[in-house]
């Protein structure tokens, strides 16, 4: 059962939230400061507007306040003996059958909307197999022993970002491009290293190298330049000439054996390209 709360950070009731914070915090100065944080207001179109509900989106205190607000939900799920995982307003509950999931969905929805005065997002919530859902960017494989994997939508967003960083329209040196790319790859892999599917990371590494080859071929636009650069990388003149005189598109040329040999794993490793598959999994 995959449950998402509709606009949680926009709609949470201040009085109910502060009542729950007061259970954990006895210092009245901290309580007053927290209330001021909630009611600080926002600027909309250059105009100040006081906030009567919700917590600041992206605020450093908001996830902590969400956990305090939803602590009652955790306790309720524990009392019922459910296996679950929750982060802020995202919650997955694991049951043995679809019928059980639908029953739990109905009862938990009534609890959340009746007791906590929050709204379940019907569009994003569902009862389904774990490998068809995602949680914090992760999903599972459909194996007898399921493995943690990167969710398909997370992979799509990753590829969109890499395409942006390796766009041939961005004129820059290979060193600058690799530096920018490495910053993104290290951060992304630092989060997704929990995944237990190393072959996916190897495929992504190959795809990234192909994107960089395409950038280099675009820089070596003239046939003579391609021939010269490929020969400098150890490719025979006849083989280099085939690439230099080819009318194929840049991506098709990146798949040519001569180009793969010249601009292979060792070439990009020597230039400091970060490898996703070289990071040990923590899964």
């Amino acid at each position: 059962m995959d449950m998402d709360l509709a606009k949680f950070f926009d709609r949470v009731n201040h009085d109910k939230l502060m009542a729950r914070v007061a259970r954990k915090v006895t210092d009245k100065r901290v309580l007053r400061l927290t209330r001021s944080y909630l009611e600080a207001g926002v600027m909309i179109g250059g105009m100040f507007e006081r906030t009567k509900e919700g917590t600041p989106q992206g605020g450093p205190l908001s996830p902590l306040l969400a956990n305090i607000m939803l602590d009652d939900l955790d306790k309720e799920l524990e009392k019922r003996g459910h296996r679950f995982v929750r982060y802020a307003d995202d919650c997955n509950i694991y049951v043995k059958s679809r019928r059980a999931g639908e029953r739990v969905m109905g009862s938990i929805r009534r609890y959340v909307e009746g007791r906590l005065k929050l709204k379940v997002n019907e569009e994003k919530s569902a009862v389904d197999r774990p490998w068809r859902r995602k949680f914090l960017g992760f999903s599972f494989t459909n194996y007898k022993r399921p493995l943690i994997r990167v969710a398909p939508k997370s992979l799509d967003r990753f590829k969109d970002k890499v395409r942006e960083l390796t766009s041939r329209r961005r004129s820059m040196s290979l060193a600058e491009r690799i530096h920018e790319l490495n910053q993104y790859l290290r951060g992304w892999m630092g989060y997704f290293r929990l995944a237990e599917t190393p072959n996916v990371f190897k495929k992504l590494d190959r795809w990234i190298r192909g994107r960089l080859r395409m950038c280099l071929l675009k820089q070596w636009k003239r046939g003579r330049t391609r021939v010269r650069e490929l020969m400098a990388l150890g490719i025979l003149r006849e083989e280099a000439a085939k690439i230099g005189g080819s009318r194929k598109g840049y991506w098709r040329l990146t798949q040519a054996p001569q180009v793969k040999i010249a601009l292979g794993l060792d070439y990009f490793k020597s230039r400091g390209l970060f490898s996703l598959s070289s990071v040990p999994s923590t899964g």
Side-chain angles (χ1 to χ4, degrees), residues 192-209:
F192 283 106
R193 64 185 299 181
L194 185 67
E196 301 172 298
T197 50
N199 284 339
V200 172
F201 298 132
K202 289 178 182 177
K203 288 179 182 177
L204 290 175
D205 275 341
R206 289 196 292 269
W207 178 74
I208 291 167
R209 291 196 295 271

Side-chain angles (χ1 to χ4, degrees), residues 69-98:
M69 182 66 189
L70 294 171
D71 187 54
D72 286 358
L73 174 61
D74 295 345
K75 296 293 191 295
E76 181 67 19
L77 292 172
E78 288 172 0
K79 186 173 74 175
R80 298 185 185 190
H82 291 310
R83 293 185 176 184
F84 70 96
V85 58
R86 182 184 63 77
Y87 181 82
D89 59 336
D90 255 340
C91 181
N92 278 189
I93 304 170
Y94 300 99
V95 294
K96 292 184 177 180
S97 68
R98 175 173 290 277

Side-chain angles (χ1 to χ4, degrees), residues 83-199:
R83 293 185 176 184
F84 70 96
V85 58
R86 182 184 63 77
Y87 181 82
D89 59 336
D90 255 340
C91 181
N92 278 189
I93 304 170
Y94 300 99
V95 294
K96 292 184 177 180
S97 68
R98 175 173 290 277
R99 179 176 294 182
E102 290 169 350
R103 184 179 66 251
V104 171
M105 174 71 86
S107 63
I108 295 302
R109 182 191 292 114
R110 288 191 293 273
Y111 177 85
V112 166
E113 296 181 351
R115 182 77 174 270
L116 303 181
K117 304 303 180 185
L118 298 170
K119 182 72 175 173
V120 173
N121 188 326
E122 299 291 346
E123 291 184 2
K124 293 185 178 180
S125 301
V127 175
D128 207 343
R129 296 290 188 182
W131 51 86
R132 294 180 187 145
R133 308 297 296 177
K134 67 181 181 68
F135 183 72
L136 303 179
F138 291 93
S139 186
F140 293 98
T141 58
N142 183 13
Y143 299 156
K144 187 173 182 179
R145 188 186 80 81
L147 301 175
I148 300 170
R149 63 170 179 152
V150 182
K153 287 185 179 179
S154 299
L155 288 175
D156 289 342
R157 285 194 293 271
F158 171 82
K159 287 189 171 184
D160 286 343
K161 181 62 178 179
V162 172
R163 287 188 184 100
E164 177 188 326
L165 293 172
T166 57
S167 171
R168 300 194 304 275
R169 291 189 294 271
R170 300 176 73 233
S171 180
M172 60 198 312
S173 70
L174 180 65
E176 290 174 315
R177 200 181 295 275
I178 287 178
H179 175 72
E180 280 191 11
L181 193 57
N182 281 351
Q183 288 181 316
Y184 176 68
L185 295 178
R186 285 194 177 96
W188 189 86
M189 194 59 193
Y191 182 80
F192 283 106
R193 64 185 299 181
L194 185 67
E196 301 172 298
T197 50
N199 284 339

